[in-house]
Amino acid sequence: MANDTAYLKVDGEEYELPIIQGTLGPAVIDVSAFQTAGYWTYDPGYKVTAPVESKITFIDGDKGELLHRGYPIDELANQADYLEVCYALLHGDLPTTEQKKDFYYKVSRHMGVHEQLRKFFEGFRRDAHPMAIMVGVVGALSAFYHDGLDVSDERHREITAIRLIAKMPTLAAMSYKYSQGHPFMYPRNDFSYAENFLYMMFATPGDVNYKVNPILSNAMDKIFTLHADHEQNASTSTVRLAGSTGANPYACIAAGIAALWGPSHGGANEAVLEMLDEIGSVENVDEFMEKVKRKEVKLMGFGHRVYKNFDPRAKVMKETCDEVLGALGITDPKLALAMKLEKIALEDPYFVERNLYPNVDFYSGIILKAIGIPTSMFTVIFALARTAGWISHWLEMHSAPFKIGRPRQLYTGEQRRDFVKLEDRK
Ligand code: SDX
């Protein structure tokens, strides 16, 4: 696919570096020849590094565009449901009616978890952060499927993807129920994916006629879709790097959950609500923004490594926020506060010069709060939804020959020196 050439001139030599153009986005320069020249590339934070080729998701940060398998995110969020998007991420296109029926049946029948897995929860204190529980129990799934799992077998890989997408809502709801001291709820075959999640989160064994409000389940499903995948973000790159060692896919997804937890990544949705709580009221916004400009705090839910324009997911999230709060008749003062922050940030040169726009995490917390989801569960929901993206990238990696990921470094430590005995050390 190389269709042009760049050149490296160093130490009196010239090296050809093939330029490779993808379907969309910037072309890449194959820098393999750096090794021949005796150099490594240096790119802290991987700002301009493409470690992989992928066909799953495309992001244009300048235009604020996000495509999954070529479909714009706003069309997927408004016209497809989350499991259809999962199918597209896994298989390359949206399902036909038959394919959708088969896929939904398989997912619904794999939502249950091994009874013995329930005992893992008892090792945690009741006040354990649910993300700590999720890292543990998702990793523990390896113990239940390790023997039957041959990652070189495509059928094993396929069923693993379905198991993970199917079990994440159940494990997420269990991590919440455990923190409340409530009994775990079993998934129901007559509920949709999002309905089942809300049922397992909020129903109790006595609710024999439990009904899920369609406004809430539709909003939940849309939030899942908006978080499903996002190219080579930190947690997806973690899953790929772990997967490149041949590690068990359940362990790889647990690694992704751990990476997502950070406040600079998926932990931001929880941090946005904490920030809004800290600001308290619209009167305090100006003072808070001065603290941001003095770099004492960050404006959580703003900024993005790739988007230097509006995050298209934030737009859909904001529309959904208005729909849900309107339909439920909720006037959340945090929404007014968030909109004031957004207005200031979009007009203030400090933020405009730095291309700081709302990202996917800015409004999601307000909707989740309206649905009744506690703040501590926000990142768990992000992890639940992103599992489809993580496992799709894992499958894509396994669909062709791959090498273990092994970056190098710029070493600035000590020169070689002689060992000094303990008694002679000063
Ligand atoms: C997600 O990668 C993905 O795709 C992630 C994600 C996904 O779906 O997987 O989209 C999900 O993680 C969204 C981002 C959620 N995180 C937050 O909302 C936390 C707040 N945001 C920042 O931490 C920050 O914007 C990052 C981490 C998201 C991006 O950081 P970068 O690209 O490394 O940018 P930077 O730190 O180099 O910032 C450039 C400038 C700096 O100022 P100067 O040094 O130039 O003066 O912008 C400033 C930063 O101080 N800045 C902010 C800011 N984000 C950047 N200033 C105040 N508030 C912020 N939020």
Side-chain angles (χ1 to χ4, degrees):
M1 284 200 312
N3 51 20
D4 211 332
T5 308
Y7 296 89
L8 168 68
K9 288 183 180 175
V10 66
D11 304 336
E13 298 285 339
E14 183 173 277
Y15 302 86
E16 289 194 353
L17 307 176
I19 295 178
I20 307 169
Q21 180 59 57
T23 320
L24 294 170
V28 298
I29 297 177
D30 179 337
V31 295
S32 315
F34 272 61
Q35 189 153 28
T36 312
Y39 289 87
W40 291 327
T41 61
Y42 186 56
D43 178 24
Y46 302 111
K47 291 195 172 190
V48 290
T49 293
V52 293
E53 173 188 335
S54 181
K55 301 179 183 338
I56 298 173
T57 289
F58 174 73
I59 304 171
D60 184 321
D62 296 331
K63 288 188 204 157
E65 183 178 46
L66 167 58
L67 308 177
H68 292 319
R69 298 295 189 181
Y71 297 103
I73 188 63
D74 57 322
E75 291 178 26
L76 290 171
N78 292 321
Q79 299 180 56
D81 58 32
Y82 173 68
L83 284 187
E84 283 182 275
V85 175
C86 289
Y87 187 94
L89 292 173
L90 292 171
H91 299 290
D93 202 348
L94 292 165
T96 62
T97 307
E98 268 314 296
Q99 289 167 335
K100 177 174 173 175
K101 192 168 157 225
D102 176 59
F103 184 65
Y104 282 40
Y105 177 80
K106 285 175 181 167
V107 169
S108 71
R109 292 311 181 270
H110 281 281
M111 290 188 90
V113 293
H114 194 291
E115 279 297 300
Q116 211 159 324
L117 193 75
R118 303 157 73 91
K119 296 194 183 336
F120 278 85
F121 288 80
E122 287 153 26
F124 293 100
R125 287 178 13 179
R126 292 284 176 180
D127 62 353
H129 194 291
M131 279 297 278
I133 296 176
M134 290 300 284
V135 171
V137 292
V138 172
L141 285 175
S142 313
F144 290 86
Y145 298 109
H146 189 86
D147 299 339
L149 179 59
D150 171 2
V151 294
S152 65
D153 182 332
E154 186 180 2
R155 288 169 302 117
H156 287 201
R157 297 200 297 267
E158 289 289 327
I159 186 62
T160 297
I162 287 177
R163 276 190 177 123
L164 276 160
I165 290 170
K167 295 179 191 313
M168 283 298 278
T170 309
L171 296 172
M174 288 169 79
S175 67
Y176 172 63
K177 284 297 199 187
Y178 182 74
S179 71
Q180 302 300 302
H182 294 172
F184 296 144
M185 299 300 289
Y186 287 88
R188 285 177 39 170
N189 294 340
D190 59 331
F191 274 174
S192 73
Y193 190 85
E195 283 175 332
N196 246 325
F197 173 63
L198 294 176
Y199 167 72
M200 292 188 283
M201 279 284 291
F202 300 122
T204 60
D207 293 323
V208 289
N209 297 315
Y210 192 89
K211 292 274 180 289
V212 179
N213 181 335
I215 296 168
L216 304 188
S217 54
N218 291 337
M220 196 74 257
D221 191 85
K222 199 176 277 191
I223 289 172
F224 288 155
T225 293
L226 292 172
H227 289 85
D229 189 51
H230 212 240
E231 198 214 66
Q232 306 308 322
N233 58 84
S235 54
T236 300
S237 298
T238 301
V239 170
R240 278 184 175 258
L241 193 55
S244 76
T245 70
N248 178 305
Y250 300 96
C252 296
I253 299 299
I257 295 173
L260 184 75
W261 195 2
S264 288
H265 191 12
N269 52 18
E270 181 175 351
V272 167
L273 260 288
E274 287 159 3
M275 174 184 73
L276 294 175
D277 282 340
E278 183 201 332
I279 296 170
S281 70
V282 173
E283 294 69 45
N284 302 331
V285 166
D286 291 338
E287 181 196 344
F288 180 81
M289 291 306 238
E290 288 312 309
K291 279 174 71 177
V292 172
K293 292 179 192 176
R294 292 195 301 268
K295 296 187 184 289
E296 292 167 19
V297 292
K298 281 201 183 281
L299 185 58
M300 302 309 281
F302 266 72
H304 199 279
R305 172 62 58 77
V306 176
Y307 290 120
K308 300 312 172 193
N309 195 323
F310 249 89
D311 180 336
R313 302 167 296 175
K315 282 183 181 171
V316 180
M317 200 69 86
K318 173 75 172 54
E319 289 158 10
T320 308
C321 199
D322 293 339
E323 285 163 19
V324 171
L325 269 62
L328 297 176
I330 297 175
T331 48
D332 185 344
K334 286 194 174 56
L335 179 58
L337 194 47
M339 289 171 71
K340 168 90 172 167
L341 281 170
E342 180 185 31
K343 185 174 184 314
I344 292 174
L346 294 180
E347 293 166 359
D348 186 309
Y350 180 89
F351 299 93
V352 173
E353 285 158 11
R354 292 166 175 80
N355 296 307
L356 299 179
Y357 291 88
N359 58 50
V360 67
D361 292 309
F362 189 60
Y363 283 108
S364 55
I366 294 167
I367 311 176
L368 291 171
K369 187 170 164 288
I371 293 175
I373 309 276
T375 308
S376 62
M377 283 293 291
F378 288 4
T379 311
V380 172
I381 284 167
F382 196 146
L384 185 172
R386 184 54 57 88
T387 295
W390 288 332
I391 200 64
S392 298
H393 283 271
W394 182 82
L395 287 173
E396 183 175 64
M397 185 184 71
H398 274 276
S399 67
F402 61 89
K403 288 187 173 303
I404 188 168
R406 184 19 176 122
R408 301 309 301 268
Q409 64 179 11
L410 172 66
Y411 176 71
T412 54
E414 294 293 337
Q415 297 278 0
R416 185 176 188 77
R417 50 185 182 170
D418 298 330
F419 183 83
V420 178
K421 287 197 179 68
L422 179 59
E423 57 272 22
D424 299 332
R425 290 174 209 155
K426 299 285 177 281

